[in-house]
Amino acid sequence: MKKLTIIGVLVVSALGTLFHFMYDWLPIIIFPQNESIFEHMKLVIFPFFFYYFISLPFYKGDSKELFASFFSAIIISMFFIITSFYTYSGFIGKSYDFINIILYFIAVGLGFILIYKKITLVQFSNSVIFAIILLALVILFSFYPPNLSFFI
């Protein structure tokens, strides 16, 4: 599990960085379409799910527990990025790309600490339901974003 965690941090970080620039080349819903905070949450959601499916055959434990841990990691990572971004940019009065990048890498590391320690916010069945709802909302708000700064 330790090796999968270290590799996971590297893979998810690399994928998130790559995904940031992909929409111009390949306009698919999983890539951020603009610079909004909402669209940047895709840099957490999709690389984490992608790594979950890649790492699943190598995991020697309960796959349901692993999914619940990955979902929890996604939620906590998103929460960390959103709260950290609005806290520091509200305090300073503007946002800086280098700080946003650092926050992203910290969020990925934090997510994988949860996965490594098998910490879950919800049980497997609920995490599947919430993951489906999360993905549906991402798709909905990608096509029909509310007129709020978080989405624009």
Side-chain angles (χ1 to χ4, degrees):
M1 183 67 178
K2 189 175 186 178
K3 187 185 283 188
L4 285 176
T5 302
I6 294 168
I7 293 169
V9 169
L10 298 174
V11 168
V12 170
S13 295
L15 283 175
T17 303
L18 178 66
F19 281 20
H20 187 272
F21 303 103
M22 290 297 294
Y23 191 78
D24 290 336
W25 301 322
L26 191 63
I28 298 175
I29 196 76
I30 66 170
F31 304 131
Q33 300 172 19
N34 60 44
E35 291 296 318
S36 71
I37 298 297
F38 167 76
E39 288 290 331
H40 278 75
M41 292 303 98
K42 293 177 181 180
L43 302 179
V44 172
I45 297 166
F46 293 108
F48 266 97
F49 276 134
F50 181 77
Y51 187 71
Y52 165 76
F53 287 111
I54 286 180
S55 66
L56 195 54
F58 305 101
Y59 184 66
K60 294 180 180 19
D62 181 7
S63 61
K64 292 178 179 181
E65 180 184 59
L66 183 65
F67 184 85
S69 291
F70 263 86
F71 180 74
S72 298
I74 290 168
I75 297 302
I76 294 299
S77 296
M78 289 171 48
F79 180 78
F80 175 81
I81 290 171
I82 293 166
T83 56
S84 299
F85 172 78
Y86 281 114
T87 300
Y88 98 80
S89 63
F91 183 73
I92 295 174
K94 58 182 171 177
S95 94
Y96 293 97
D97 288 341
F98 77 94
I99 295 175
N100 298 338
I101 293 167
I102 291 168
L103 291 177
Y104 174 74
F105 291 129
I106 292 171
V108 170
L110 180 62
F112 273 97
I113 289 171
L114 294 174
I115 293 166
Y116 180 74
K117 294 187 176 219
K118 299 178 182 173
I119 296 173
T120 60
L121 300 175
V122 293
Q123 297 301 318
F124 170 73
S125 57
N126 291 335
S127 65
V128 170
I129 292 167
F130 292 144
I132 291 168
I133 292 169
L134 175 66
L135 293 173
L137 289 173
V138 166
I139 291 168
L140 175 69
F141 292 144
S142 292
F143 288 111
Y144 305 104
N147 192 19
L148 301 169
S149 63
F150 181 77
F151 295 95
I152 306 171

